[in-house]
Amino acid sequence: MLSGILAGAITITCLTGCGGKQEAISGGETTNETPDVAAPSSDVAAPSIEETKAILEEGYIYGLPIVMNYAVMYEYSVDPDSGQYKAPFNEIKNESRVFTYKDTAIVTPNSDTPYSFLWMDLRAEPQVISVPAVEKDRYYAVQLEDGNTFNYGYIGSRTTGNEPGDFLVVGPDWKGEKPPGVKGVFRSTTQFSIAGFRTQLFNAEDMPNVVKIQSGYKVQPLSAFLGQPAPPAAPKIDFPKIDKAMLETGFFGYLDFCLQFAPAGPEEKEIRGKLASIGIGPDKKFSMKELSPEHQATVATAMKQGDEKVQKYLEGALKDVNGWKIASPFGDRKFFAGNWLLRAAGAKAGICGNDSVEATYPITRVDVDGETLDGSKHDYTLTFAKGEFPPVNAFWSVTMYDGESQLLIENPINRYLINSPMLPEMQLNEDGSLTLYIQKDNPGKDKEANWLPAPNGPIYLVMRLYWPKTETPSVLPAGEGTWQPPGVQQVK
């Protein structure tokens, strides 16, 4: 869920994450063809204004996740002065701390799983990610996402287990055999890719244990892993600076740049051909300045209409359950299958969001009756019936945010969330149910263990369900979506 992971590069409303199935390969196999898309021959008539507008609208929807992804990459691994910078390419940056109300750089920050970030440049050679042994009851995951925003693989508790291991990440053009000692090979569809590491934190006192695990995350070039000479370095790149104002006027120029590192898959042939017909593509250089005023106006209109389509699609994709919104807009290339609206909706929902089988995120701003949650007006409760806690294999949490800023809030007990590892310290009702008290004032010592402090104003709640169960009951379609999050009840 980017809103709590990698937000900040582009100002677009973010919600949550979910979606499909990861794809891992071994040896020299490849998961897709990469046909070149040639520009139309010179004897083909240029598209009309209306045709151009339609292509630009479709191209914006197609390119939005790609450009958003580039913006994050630029701020995280290209520009040391971005304010969001983490580390250069092929180096891991560990975030070894608990997020609090003082963290304002990203919205809906996650205090469940401290992060480690790795942006990979796969042009010269593959990279080997090594993970240490992680105790059996601690959840961790390494999400692999490429420049197309495809989640092409996972390393961690759900997929590869908690044993130590070495895993190879290769670019779209790599040809080779799986090296001895490597447990798995994952192929990115683009030359640049991010790995997002999540390590479960049980409580604030547990941070030294998380730091120890994070110190065991390693990355090295394949040549170093094999003890062989390194291949020639990849050519130096002049990365275009991310300017938030230019994201509007120069959007298709950024897309031109990104596509040169993203060989087209079979499902992209049609859209790439359309874009090439109006001068947009990996071998093009789109410039608004060279367009007539009429064409410039067409670009702006097409982008606006494309954005409205994406927003409308996202709103329609959100399932409403007892006031909670749940969506599944994340997955691999097979999951999206050329549905560019679905992919763009996922980027808007929260770029770098997890597949739903890895984590699902119900969110709400309203109570069970649809009234806006507001801590200055009412107290609330959230009650899980006995035996009806969120069905997960790892753990679940409910995090409180300010409804306007979507940031954690300052409170007298420094509590920003309630999660399942805290259950032994909490008070159950006589019937075995669990009630959380959601309010700005302390409910009293007898209820304080179950208190989730609220802001003195609008409330935004995010439920995080890590490694949700697939058998019934489950929040996932595989379990027929039979588990439903309980609604937030107004007390006064």
Side-chain angles (χ1 to χ4, degrees):
M1 176 175 171
L2 171 63
S3 13
I5 304 174
L6 308 173
I10 298 183
T11 307
I12 293 180
T13 303
C14 293
L15 302 177
T16 53
C18 311
K21 166 186 177 187
Q22 81 274 5
E23 178 177 326
I25 62 165
S26 60
E29 299 176 27
T30 176
T31 61
N32 58 272
E33 300 174 13
T34 55
D36 293 326
V37 179
S41 60
S42 58
D43 60 347
V44 176
S48 66
I49 288 290
E50 284 305 309
E51 289 172 327
T52 298
K53 181 181 173 183
I55 293 171
L56 287 169
E57 182 181 306
E58 186 179 356
Y60 174 81
I61 294 169
Y62 165 76
L64 179 63
I66 298 172
V67 175
M68 287 180 68
N69 182 278
Y70 172 73
V72 177
M73 183 180 80
Y74 183 88
E75 294 201 343
Y76 273 42
S77 287
V78 176
D79 181 8
D81 300 318
S82 70
Q84 295 281 342
Y85 189 77
K86 302 300 180 186
F89 290 111
N90 302 330
E91 289 187 21
I92 296 175
K93 167 63 175 179
N94 294 314
E95 299 281 1
S96 303
R97 61 191 181 84
V98 180
F99 284 117
T100 72
Y101 69 92
K102 295 180 181 179
D103 292 283
T104 60
I106 58 176
V107 295
T108 55
N110 177 354
S111 291
D112 280 319
T113 58
Y115 292 105
S116 303
F117 299 104
L118 165 66
W119 273 98
M120 293 172 282
D121 180 349
L122 303 169
R123 292 175 300 150
E125 61 175 317
Q127 298 292 312
V128 177
I129 294 177
S130 300
V131 295
V134 177
E135 61 265 46
K136 187 177 180 180
D137 61 346
R138 187 187 300 273
Y139 167 83
Y140 91 100
V142 184
Q143 174 192 2
L144 302 172
E145 181 178 272
D146 58 33
N148 284 316
T149 68
F150 298 150
N151 289 335
Y152 61 92
Y154 279 91
I155 301 165
S157 301
R158 178 180 67 87
T159 53
T160 61
N162 284 30
E163 298 77 27
D166 303 307
F167 300 87
L168 188 68
V169 180
V170 307
D173 304 321
W174 184 77
K175 295 178 175 62
E177 298 297 323
K178 184 177 77 168
V182 167
K183 286 190 171 183
V185 181
F186 298 93
R187 185 179 296 275
S188 168
T189 67
T190 61
Q191 299 287 7
F192 292 93
S193 171
I194 188 172
F197 300 66
R198 296 173 175 86
T199 309
Q200 182 182 0
L201 176 71
F202 295 129
N203 50 54
E205 291 71 36
D206 183 45
M207 185 56 75
N209 299 316
V210 170
V211 170
K212 182 178 179 181
I213 293 169
Q214 288 180 325
S215 67
Y217 296 141
K218 306 292 184 184
V219 63
Q220 60 183 315
L222 177 60
S223 58
F225 178 79
L226 297 175
Q228 298 175 352
K236 186 178 179 181
I237 297 174
D238 185 13
F239 292 96
K241 178 178 175 60
I242 279 295
D243 182 323
K244 291 178 176 61
M246 286 180 62
L247 286 171
E248 295 183 10
T249 60
F251 177 88
F252 291 102
Y254 285 116
L255 183 58
D256 282 341
F257 175 82
C258 294
L259 292 181
Q260 66 183 300
F261 306 108
E267 79 282 17
E268 295 175 276
K269 184 175 181 180
E270 181 180 358
I271 182 60
R272 290 280 190 104
K274 289 179 181 179
L275 289 171
S277 74
I278 58 172
I280 299 172
D283 56 348
K284 314 292 183 183
K285 194 168 184 180
F286 183 85
S287 175
M288 285 281 281
K289 295 179 181 178
E290 298 177 6
L291 300 179
S292 67
E294 185 179 18
H295 278 82
Q296 289 187 25
T298 298
V299 173
T301 301
M303 289 177 62
K304 182 176 182 294
Q305 292 180 346
D307 199 61
E308 290 172 350
K309 277 190 176 180
V310 174
Q311 187 62 36
K312 184 177 180 180
Y313 186 95
L314 175 59
E315 291 170 357
L318 291 171
K319 182 180 179 182
D320 193 326
V321 182
N322 295 327
W324 296 86
K325 300 289 187 180
I326 307 174
S328 302
F330 305 104
D332 62 5
R333 167 165 264 161
K334 183 178 179 181
F335 170 80
F336 290 113
N339 187 337
W340 310 129
L341 261 175
L342 174 61
R343 186 176 68 166
K348 268 208 166 190
I351 195 168
C352 291
N354 269 308
D355 290 9
S356 60
V357 292
E358 191 68 40
T360 299
Y361 311 96
I363 62 170
T364 189
R365 295 177 182 273
V366 300
D367 63 21
V368 70
D369 296 317
E371 291 191 30
T372 300
L373 298 172
D374 192 324
S376 68
K377 298 178 180 178
H378 304 286
D379 293 345
Y380 303 92
T381 59
L382 178 65
T383 300
F384 296 97
K386 181 180 180 180
E388 295 184 16
F389 291 127
V392 294
N393 292 297
F395 71 103
W396 58 266
S397 70
V398 181
T399 305
M400 172 67 68
Y401 299 100
D402 178 273
E404 294 179 348
S405 67
Q406 291 187 207
L407 297 174
L408 300 168
I409 64 164
E410 184 176 8
N411 64 85
I413 60 173
N414 296 319
R415 180 180 295 161
Y416 310 103
L417 58 82
I418 286 178
N419 59 27
S420 51
M422 296 166 62
L423 285 174
E425 286 76 46
M426 301 180 73
Q427 297 294 322
L428 296 180
N429 300 318
E430 289 185 2
D431 62 359
S433 63
L434 172 71
T435 296
L436 307 186
Y437 299 97
I438 299 170
Q439 55 191 72
K440 63 182 178 63
D441 299 319
N442 194 316
K445 283 295 180 183
D446 59 327
K447 297 178 179 178
E448 187 176 286
N450 297 26
W451 178 34
L452 184 55
N456 186 28
I459 291 170
Y460 178 49
L461 290 174
V462 175
M463 194 178 295
R464 291 178 169 91
L465 315 181
Y466 292 96
W467 190 359
K469 292 183 177 179
T470 55
E471 66 272 15
T472 302
S474 171
V475 71
L476 300 174
E480 301 176 355
T482 52
W483 183 83
Q484 299 186 345
V488 179
Q489 301 283 345
Q490 186 182 122
V491 176
K492 64 176 184 177

